[in-house]
Amino acid sequence: MDWTALSLSLELAVWTVVILLPVSVGTGRWLAYGRFRGKGMVEALVMLPLVLPPTVFGFYLLVSFGRTSPIGAFWQDMFGHQLVFSFEGLVAASVIFNLPFAIQPAQRGFEAIPLEVREAAATCGMSPFRSLWKVELPLAWPGVMTAMVLTFAHTLGEFGIVLMVGGSIPGETKTIAIAIYDRVQAFDDKSAGTMAAALVAISFLTITVTFWLSSRVGRRLT
Amino acid sequence: MTLVVDLKAEGPIPLDLSFRVAEGELLALVGHSGSGKTTVLRSIAGLWTPTDARVMAGGTVWLDTGQGVNLPPHRRHLGVVFQNYALFPHMSALQNVMAAMQTPDRREAGRLLELVHLDGLADRKPAKLSGGQQQRVAVARAMARRPLALLLDEPFSAVDRATRDQLHAEIIGLRAHLNMPVILVTHEMNEAQLLADRMVVIDKGCLLREGPTAEVMADPDALRAMGIREVAAMFSAVVVAQDEDGLTRLDAATGPIFLPGALGPPGTRLRVRVLAHEVILSRARPEGLSAQNILPATVVSLQQGDDPGVMVHLAIGGDEIVARITRRAASAMQLAPGDVVHVILKSMSVARDRIALAGQAGQVGQPLP
């Protein structure tokens, strides 16, 4: 059991969720309520990581984060080390490839709020921010929660993109999914089996907790 | 605290009308579905912006396209009761009311729920309330802000008829506490006549007629868009006694009248709506007739429409009744203003839903300070 890899994976998942929570709420709400030209394009763009092969997606991230790219060069100047093959680079990649998981369910959650209820919030004197906090978030919460759990679980399991962007540096970019692959390559089936089982347990637990929480939300309405 | 509304818009929803509502006045905005009445309400609330418009409430300009003023809905100090109530489903009745307050005040919210007779149900979520109860929560919530204008968007259309009668009585009872301009959007002429002081009839976004309810309801030209069969008069009456055969005896300026069903204990004040096409006129006092209500009246005026009918306006005591008869009948009877005739009302022609409790101020809770 590679504890370093496991804790690295959990750390990566937590950072991804923390960064994506406001993005999920903001973009999900915008796409749910907004009526504008090119909305279909934006939605398609958000969904793109879902259908692209991880190697293709990882390749483009590697190129755009690399030292010769503007982003990569800027990072190098600011922090003195390169973005690719670092934990920060991994977080950035993780945030991007999780966009569909973080935005779609939240968007559905906001879409489920009747227009009349939002208008009622406004005519009750609630500012847009107060309406979000008091009315919309409590109602869209199951969607936002699902988004965050999917993001968390998906980050733990992502393999291809992590390998392309991060490589396999122990303690820096070697996540548990990479570690499992690594162990299998070394014919260490026992370790691979233990880690795979741990990943199954964690994923199962997260999903169960979500279902429990959203059923509680459902009950709150009656 | 007058509400001034002045709206003009070209497609997709054309509008061209202006009206004002005084404080404490209930104005019914009537028209067919698609006539633009809900759009008018949405323009007042700031949920839609016409091309050229001005809305002022209590001296505050909410919207003036000429001056570039357009306050967002939450900065317009108003209360809205939506057609489907739009209660916040995750909040209890009490929390719904408190949600509309600048500084939540549990006692004041409780008092408002008491005012709409919902005390005891304060902790229920909307899903656990009946349609009528939800509507009352919505009314209490709309009042919670002490709004400069109260807008009611077809608030009685989503409940069954028995509940509607009850809610009508409720609104009439609340009138003493509604000291702001109130606009009621409805397509039910009956409802408008029972509840409103003044009416605005709109068709295709344009104002057809504006005036006191009794005047508009007796004017066939104004009601052409709504259907001539809606022309009706309204008079007030007091319950005297209920007879053993089920008829209730009422005292009115018109003299005693008999209506079916139990209408409340003696002394109950009612408003009775009589449709013009259900009124029969007779020169001589008829004998041996099945109709129970025969009332002497004086012809005030005859109004000729462009159909084969004539509207006869009649004075009975202090009230006015309208009869719609054929032109042929009017000339055969040689009716002229000043003539004395007998008005015949069939007891059964006054349906239960055309009777409403008259407002009895001070009976429901204490007035708002």
Side-chain angles (χ1 to χ4, degrees):
Chain A
M1 183 73 182
D2 188 343
W3 291 106
T4 317
L6 180 64
S7 77
L8 187 77
S9 274
L10 290 174
E11 208 177 316
L12 178 65
V14 167
W15 272 110
T16 309
V17 165
V18 166
I19 294 171
L20 278 178
L21 179 61
V23 176
S24 158
V25 169
T27 316
R29 189 186 192 221
W30 175 57
L31 288 175
Y33 303 162
R35 298 276 168 275
F36 54 91
R37 276 167 65 110
K39 182 178 168 180
M41 281 283 279
V42 176
E43 283 176 317
L45 210 61
V46 164
M47 292 303 280
L48 203 57
L50 209 56
V51 287
L52 276 183
T55 42
V56 172
F57 198 55
F59 169 73
Y60 282 118
L61 286 177
L62 190 62
V63 171
S64 50
F65 287 176
R67 221 178 316 183
T68 49
S69 76
I71 303 171
F74 172 77
W75 190 272
Q76 183 87 37
D77 286 351
M78 283 292 284
F79 301 101
H81 65 89
Q82 58 176 352
L83 185 55
V84 286
F85 309 120
S86 73
F87 183 70
E88 291 89 341
L90 217 51
V91 171
S94 176
V95 162
I96 295 170
F97 74 67
N98 272 303
L99 281 176
F101 300 95
I103 292 172
Q104 256 268 331
Q107 184 184 342
R108 297 285 165 263
F110 283 107
E111 278 170 354
I113 304 172
L115 176 64
E116 250 193 359
V117 168
R118 286 192 280 128
E119 291 179 342
T123 60
C124 279
M126 294 189 198
S127 64
F129 180 75
R130 202 174 140 80
S131 166
L132 172 69
W133 190 245
K134 287 270 182 190
V135 176
E136 295 163 47
L137 268 184
L139 292 175
W141 193 240
V144 176
M145 175 75 93
T146 307
M148 291 306 106
V149 169
L150 285 179
T151 301
F152 188 87
H154 184 236
T155 310
L156 286 186
E158 182 53 42
F159 177 77
I161 296 174
V162 173
L163 196 61
M164 292 290 282
V165 178
S168 173
I169 305 163
E172 184 72 27
T173 61
K174 190 179 181 183
T175 63
I176 188 145
I178 307 280
I180 291 170
Y181 177 73
D182 199 42
R183 288 295 87 208
V184 172
Q185 291 293 299
F187 299 105
D188 184 359
D189 282 1
K190 193 164 167 290
S191 290
T194 318
M195 288 191 278
L199 216 49
V200 168
I202 293 172
S203 304
F204 184 72
L205 192 74
T206 350
I207 301 281
T208 311
V209 168
T210 336
F211 276 130
W212 179 68
L213 280 176
S214 22
S215 80
R216 260 173 54 107
V217 170
R219 259 199 318 251
R220 272 198 310 140
L221 299 184
T222 58
Chain B
M1 250 188 30
T2 314
L3 177 70
V4 180
V5 180
D6 203 342
L7 308 172
K8 263 196 192 68
E10 285 155 27
I13 312 156
L15 281 183
D16 186 6
L17 75 166
S18 66
F19 58 88
R20 44 186 63 214
V21 195
E23 56 189 279
E25 181 179 53
L26 198 157
L27 177 101
L29 194 60
V30 299
H32 283 301
S33 46
S35 61
K37 52 193 191 306
T38 294
T39 308
V40 172
L41 212 66
R42 294 177 65 80
S43 308
I44 299 170
L47 300 169
W48 192 72
T49 308
T51 38
D52 185 7
R54 224 165 60 91
V55 176
M56 254 174 59
T60 314
V61 179
W62 285 351
L63 171 69
D64 190 338
T65 48
Q67 302 288 320
V69 180
N70 187 2
L71 295 188
H74 69 273
R75 292 188 49 209
R76 302 186 182 197
H77 205 80
L78 48 74
V80 181
V81 175
F82 289 86
Q83 192 164 1
N84 295 307
Y85 319 131
L87 296 178
F88 306 130
H90 57 299
M91 298 183 192
S92 69
L94 191 78
Q95 288 168 329
N96 261 282
V97 177
M98 287 201 294
M101 295 171 165
Q102 215 63 34
T103 39
D105 180 343
R106 182 171 286 271
R107 272 189 48 199
E108 170 67 6
R111 205 187 59 78
L112 282 165
L113 285 180
E114 218 172 287
L115 204 63
V116 294
H117 301 118
L118 274 185
D119 33 330
L121 300 176
D123 294 328
R124 292 230 189 140
K125 297 271 168 67
K128 285 265 184 346
L129 293 170
S130 73
Q133 290 165 340
Q134 289 185 29
Q135 196 254 24
R136 290 159 196 231
V137 176
V139 170
R141 183 178 70 175
M143 288 169 71
R145 284 180 87 187
R146 310 214 173 154
L148 293 175
L150 184 63
L151 311 178
L152 313 171
D153 186 10
E154 307 243 10
F156 308 103
S157 61
V159 292
D160 59 63
R161 205 157 115 188
T163 310
R164 199 180 312 166
D165 288 348
Q166 217 177 340
L167 292 174
H168 285 163
E170 194 92 9
I171 288 289
I172 292 168
L174 268 180
R175 283 298 299 280
H177 304 275
L178 302 178
N179 49 7
M180 69 295 279
V182 183
I183 298 183
L184 167 72
V185 161
T186 179
H187 61 271
E188 285 258 352
M189 299 309 277
N190 185 41
E191 194 165 282
Q193 189 158 25
L194 291 177
L195 301 178
D197 306 314
R198 255 171 4 103
M199 283 174 67
V200 163
V201 184
I202 69 169
D203 189 34
K204 297 188 186 79
C206 293
L207 189 140
L208 275 188
R209 178 81 149 83
E210 183 197 359
T213 305
E215 248 176 55
V216 176
M217 290 305 292
D219 180 355
D221 293 332
L223 292 190
R224 191 131 289 138
M226 298 304 297
I228 198 94
R229 293 177 74 85
E230 288 289 352
V231 175
M234 178 110 107
F235 56 84
S236 44
V238 183
V239 173
V240 176
Q242 197 188 352
D243 295 342
E244 276 173 15
D245 60 359
L247 284 186
T248 298
R249 186 188 152 105
L250 299 169
D251 217 359
T254 54
I257 56 170
F258 296 88
L259 295 178
L263 300 175
T268 307
R269 291 167 51 78
L270 300 172
R271 301 215 278 173
V272 181
R273 182 171 184 240
V274 179
L275 293 176
H277 67 88
E278 285 174 348
V279 175
I280 298 170
L281 299 182
S282 170
R283 274 280 185 195
R285 186 181 167 85
E287 298 289 334
L289 209 63
S290 69
Q292 289 300 304
N293 304 304
I294 300 169
L295 314 158
T298 313
V299 176
V300 176
S301 65
L302 289 104
Q303 196 178 358
Q304 176 73 60
D306 38 273
D307 60 333
V310 176
M311 286 295 164
V312 186
H313 296 255
L314 304 133
I316 306 182
D319 285 311
E320 191 183 88
I321 272 200
V322 193
R324 180 162 173 257
I325 60 175
T326 59
R327 203 184 304 178
R328 189 182 297 179
S331 64
M333 287 170 76
Q334 294 183 313
L335 286 181
D339 288 359
V340 174
V341 292
H342 289 88
V343 167
I344 301 159
L345 290 180
K346 208 167 169 260
S347 299
M348 291 299 179
S349 71
V350 180
R352 185 70 189 84
D353 68 338
R354 296 201 205 117
I355 303 168
L357 285 170
Q360 281 158 307
Q363 281 211 341
V364 265
Q366 294 302 306
L368 284 171

